[in-house]
Amino acid sequence: MIKGKNYINGEFIDGNIYFDKINPSDLEIIGKFPKSDKLLVEEVVKIAKNSQKLWKNISKVKRGEYFDNLCQRISRRKDEIAHLISKETGKNLNESYAEVIEALHMAQFTFGKSRMPSGEIIPSELSERDSYVIRKPKGVVAVISPWNFPFAIGGFWCAAPSLLEGNTVVFKPSELTPMTGQLIAELYHEAGFPNGVFNLIHGDGETGKYLVESDINHICFTGSVEVGKEIRKVCAESRDKTCSCEMGSKSAVIVFEDADLDLAVQACLNSAFKLSGQRCVSAGRLIVQRSILEQFKEKFIEQAKKVYIGEPFGDGCNDCTIAIGPVISLEQKERINKYVDMIKKEQNDILILGDELNGCFISPTVFQSEWKDKSYLKEEIFGPVVAIVPFDLIDDAIRIYNDTDYGLAVGICTNNYRIMRKMRDECDAGMIYFNLGSIGAESSLPFGGVKMSGYGHGSAAATFDAVVHQVAVTYNHAEIVTFPQGLK
Ligand code: UN1
């Protein structure tokens, strides 16, 4: 049993009130973590503000060198980190290793960026002028992260770019993954970041709310649409607080009749069921051209029946297609089951019905439906539940794909370049994949969505721009004051 601590100003500190962390595989309590109150949150933000004055004046190259140090530590401890992620989230071990690598890539990318050009030189209309753009840190960045990628998103996707750009960070991990949060703080500590530059406070949504309402400058949030909306409201009413929010999705894979069917089935299977569909980019919809529907279904169902469900470290996956662990909590399982009940009640064509399993374990449900205005087709379920939706013409595929409030990721399987171009231009999505599924983003690309999926585009590579003010600087070299645009 771990007794967690906050990490403030370079020290690991006990709390007053504690909450329990439960292992989703066996429902045992595996840790107790401090729930931070308003007073503490405000104190930490004050410390981070003070530390930022020194941190921003260290050269970017030097700030980058801390990340080199951090990378070495992540590499050295990758087995321990992956095992901890699996224990805490129920994620299959292979997925946890991939997450560690995703985090490592973000830290490496950040280190690389530290020696790359920063800002831009912009030609002026007037030859006597020199103009350029510099990047100024916003100040203190709050990182409020989700449980599904607790290491990569929590520790690196937002925090690393924020720090490199000269901000300091107050990190609040999800209350469902405090252990990984704590390990992240240990890594930053061991890598030698100066005191107060990276801080961790544990807590639930209430602590998060205190952090959002505190004297913070920017909030990097990944989580639900409801919370994201609240954060945006707080920012709108503040003087100058900004935020970047990565929220829900109802991502999809679209399969055209000319696609390589085996590749398409593989793309669909991974997008629907990896991590039990608990990725924000998971495909809740497989939109398949009617002319190949029967062939697709036959292959897909055969593969979907071979999904292995077991504890994350299990080795029961011999002939299986994908191995998945439990979902994150009993509440989440109940939420998923409510959607499944609705799908059953409304006479959809159920192709695979999830079995009754113990604890947080839940197996895939697959159903077929024409496109209609139903919550289970349009809302994010965040579980291993997928709809197969037929379409006839390319315009139908576009209409169906776009007919949700979300727009995060889309996988499109086709070999026709005309279809590719039209889909690329017409689908509302922040990430578009061809002959792939909707999962598998890389750290050095921007990660984010459109419509209700994303706001302020600030995850992975896109974070560097979200956490700075771009300031235009102009020098006059004439002996008189000059104006552009013919102004006299
Ligand atoms: C998320 O879905 O919450 O694209 C993040 C992927 C990952 C990142 C997903 N690399 O599958």
Side-chain angles (χ1 to χ4, degrees):
M1 164 90 75
I2 290 180
K3 189 160 175 245
K5 290 177 194 267
N6 289 321
Y7 177 64
I8 303 169
N9 208 13
E11 281 182 66
F12 286 93
I13 295 169
D14 286 323
N16 298 323
I17 314 168
Y18 284 77
F19 65 88
D20 293 339
K21 163 61 199 161
I22 286 167
N23 179 342
S25 297
D26 57 14
L27 303 179
E28 296 277 312
I29 297 175
I30 45 175
K32 290 198 176 290
F33 287 82
K35 179 170 153 27
S36 310
D37 61 19
K38 192 166 190 252
L39 221 64
L40 183 71
V41 170
E42 284 172 358
E43 193 188 313
V44 180
V45 173
K46 213 180 272 170
I47 290 167
K49 280 237 144 134
N50 272 328
S51 312
Q52 202 253 340
K53 291 181 196 138
L54 296 174
W55 179 244
K56 77 170 169 36
N57 288 331
I58 297 176
S59 84
K60 197 170 193 177
V61 168
K62 289 268 178 236
R63 289 199 298 263
E65 277 166 9
Y66 289 101
F67 285 93
D68 182 30
N69 209 344
L70 195 52
C71 289
Q72 293 174 34
R73 277 156 214 283
I74 298 170
S75 300
R76 240 180 275 147
R77 293 174 69 176
K78 69 174 183 311
D79 297 327
E80 176 202 346
I81 303 168
H83 279 79
L84 183 69
I85 297 171
S86 282
K87 182 170 177 182
E88 189 166 56
T89 60
K91 212 181 246 206
N92 180 271
L93 193 56
N94 167 262
E95 294 219 34
S96 297
Y97 269 104
E99 183 181 344
V100 178
I101 301 303
E102 185 171 284
L104 177 63
H105 288 168
M106 191 69 222
Q108 288 169 334
F109 185 60
T110 303
F111 172 52
K113 273 267 201 188
S114 68
R115 284 180 182 263
M116 296 297 284
S118 179
E120 277 178 298
I121 295 176
I122 308 288
S124 168
E125 187 185 319
L126 302 168
S127 61
E128 304 89 347
R129 286 185 178 207
D130 287 334
S131 294
Y132 58 79
V133 179
I134 57 163
R135 300 162 67 83
K136 286 196 179 181
K138 286 186 175 172
V140 184
V141 175
V143 176
I144 303 181
S145 68
W147 65 265
N148 64 341
F149 283 81
F151 191 66
I153 299 182
F156 303 92
W157 272 23
C158 291
S162 300
L163 292 169
L164 181 72
E165 294 290 0
N167 303 280
T168 51
V169 164
V170 179
F171 167 44
K172 191 203 84 66
S174 161
E175 65 272 30
L176 296 169
T177 48
M179 295 163 97
T180 310
Q182 181 112 10
L183 183 60
I184 291 166
E186 270 173 48
L187 289 163
Y188 274 96
H189 181 73
E190 287 168 16
F193 281 80
N195 293 347
V197 166
F198 181 91
N199 305 278
L200 159 83
I201 44 163
H202 289 291
D204 58 10
E206 206 178 336
T207 304
K209 189 166 178 289
Y210 297 142
L211 185 55
V212 169
E213 286 169 355
S214 73
D215 190 21
I216 207 89
N217 300 97
H218 182 84
I219 302 135
C220 261
F221 168 75
T222 304
S224 71
V225 169
E226 293 70 37
V227 176
K229 270 189 184 165
E230 287 306 314
I231 293 175
R232 287 171 65 184
K233 272 190 211 156
V234 171
C235 291
E237 276 160 22
S238 74
R239 189 190 59 185
D240 57 358
K241 218 177 266 185
T242 55
C243 62
S244 35
C245 302
E246 284 315 321
M247 301 170 280
S249 98
K250 189 73 173 178
S251 294
V253 182
I254 306 175
V255 184
F256 284 88
E257 61 189 3
D258 73 297
D260 173 337
L261 206 55
D262 289 329
L263 178 149
V265 166
Q266 216 189 329
C268 290
L269 204 68
N270 286 300
S271 304
F273 300 132
K274 266 206 180 289
L275 191 50
S276 307
Q278 300 172 107
R279 283 169 140 86
C280 56
V281 289
S282 292
R285 302 173 295 160
L286 309 176
I287 304 171
V288 181
Q289 200 150 25
R290 207 179 297 274
S291 50
I292 53 153
L293 185 65
E294 292 310 315
Q295 286 152 276
F296 173 85
K297 265 169 34 187
E298 194 182 312
K299 283 188 186 246
F300 182 76
I301 299 300
E302 187 195 325
Q303 301 287 312
K305 283 187 176 152
K306 289 194 201 157
V307 171
Y308 166 80
I309 301 125
E311 58 101 18
F313 305 101
D315 55 4
C317 179
N318 295 321
D319 183 31
C320 83
T321 44
I322 295 176
I324 56 177
V327 296
I328 189 67
S329 65
L330 290 174
E331 292 76 37
Q332 181 56 17
K333 180 174 170 175
E334 200 182 313
R335 196 177 160 272
I336 298 166
N337 279 337
K338 274 198 188 135
Y339 279 106
V340 174
D341 287 344
M342 239 186 289
I343 292 163
K344 277 199 292 195
K345 222 165 73 204
E346 300 207 1
Q347 331 277 297
N348 288 289
D349 192 358
I350 312 258
L351 306 172
I352 299 179
L353 183 61
D355 304 318
E356 289 286 332
L357 299 174
N358 288 335
C360 294
F361 290 90
I362 183 161
S363 69
T365 292
V366 182
F367 67 104
Q368 185 185 322
S369 169
E370 290 300 317
W371 187 246
K372 52 191 177 189
D373 193 19
K374 290 290 170 193
S375 60
Y376 49 81
L377 288 174
K378 293 191 169 183
E379 290 170 9
E380 181 172 49
I381 298 179
F382 227 58
V385 179
V386 72
I388 298 181
V389 181
F391 74 92
D392 294 299
L393 305 171
I394 181 168
D395 286 338
D396 301 323
I398 295 166
R399 177 181 49 81
I400 293 170
Y401 173 74
N402 285 339
D403 189 23
T404 75
D405 289 331
Y406 299 108
L408 190 60
V410 61
I412 299 158
C413 296
T414 177
N415 291 305
N416 180 323
Y417 74 93
R418 290 183 200 279
I419 294 180
M420 285 180 173
R421 191 165 200 260
K422 183 157 180 174
M423 296 302 282
R424 183 198 69 191
D425 292 346
E426 300 297 327
C427 288
D428 301 332
M431 285 162 286
I432 303 178
Y433 297 93
F434 287 105
N435 291 323
L436 286 169
S438 55
I439 68 165
E442 294 185 56
S443 303
S444 45
L445 283 165
F447 184 97
V450 300
K451 299 196 315 205
M452 250 160 61
S453 291
Y455 176 83
H457 219 83
S459 234
T463 315
F464 294 93
D465 285 343
V467 294
V468 294
H469 293 298
Q470 300 202 29
V471 178
V473 182
T474 300
Y475 295 81
N476 173 28
H477 298 290
E479 311 231 315
I480 52 163
V481 171
T482 56
F483 295 103
Q485 301 119 20
L487 188 68
K488 293 216 169 83

